[in-house]
Amino acid sequence: QVQLVESGGRLVQAGGSLRLSCAASGRTFRSYVMGWFRQAPGKEREFVAGISWSGSSTYYADSVKGRFTISRDNAKSTVYLQMNSLKPEDTAVYYCAGNSRSMVRVGLTRSDYDYWGQGTQVTVSS
């Protein structure tokens, strides 16, 4: 069993930066593909970024490519999402997710992940 706890969300001005963290409990974390999703009010939860167990493979939604960077530190059981050049449309609750069934293939849909955090609110003001 793995528990995921996100942190780092807050109110920021457009053009600013934030780094979200996701702390995982459980030693098996290091073998999981990890991802970040987000959900804005009235919208479906959408994939933002994903990373393989080793960090050698990363994937991004087109809307964040070039602005966001996902990374992980397996020694610290933590996944990060560095968000730069933030836009008001990035406002959402951001969720960390883990896929215990894959080490390499990064899934792009909610059903690919079986562990979820509680979410952290990111608000970007214009």
Side-chain angles (χ1 to χ4, degrees):
Q1 191 77 8
V2 172
Q3 290 187 327
L4 305 175
V5 179
E6 303 96 333
S7 62
R10 62 177 176 86
L11 173 65
V12 64
Q13 288 190 330
S17 297
L18 277 180
R19 188 176 81 158
L20 305 183
S21 298
C22 171
S25 64
R27 291 182 296 175
T28 53
F29 158 85
R30 61 192 64 192
S31 65
Y32 292 5
V33 162
M34 298 297 295
W36 285 96
F37 286 71
R38 67 185 181 186
Q39 188 167 15
K43 295 189 176 180
E44 295 289 319
R45 192 172 300 187
E46 63 176 1
F47 173 82
V48 175
I51 188 167
S52 62
W53 76 276
S54 66
S56 61
S57 295
T58 56
Y59 292 87
Y60 298 92
D62 288 342
S63 58
V64 307
K65 205 170 292 184
R67 299 188 298 122
F68 290 11
T69 302
I70 188 172
S71 62
R72 67 191 296 164
D73 185 338
N74 286 340
K76 295 182 178 179
S77 296
T78 303
V79 179
Y80 304 98
L81 185 67
Q82 177 66 43
M83 305 187 294
N84 298 328
S85 302
L86 283 161
K87 304 175 182 180
E89 51 263 45
D90 294 318
T91 295
V93 177
Y94 283 71
Y95 296 91
C96 176
N99 181 358
S100 66
R101 298 159 294 190
S102 176
M103 293 179 65
V104 177
R105 175 186 169 274
V106 176
L108 307 182
T109 66
R110 290 182 64 174
S111 61
D112 290 316
Y113 296 83
D114 47 352
Y115 291 102
W116 292 86
Q118 83 291 346
T120 185
Q121 176 71 48
V122 172
T123 303
V124 184
S125 63
S126 57

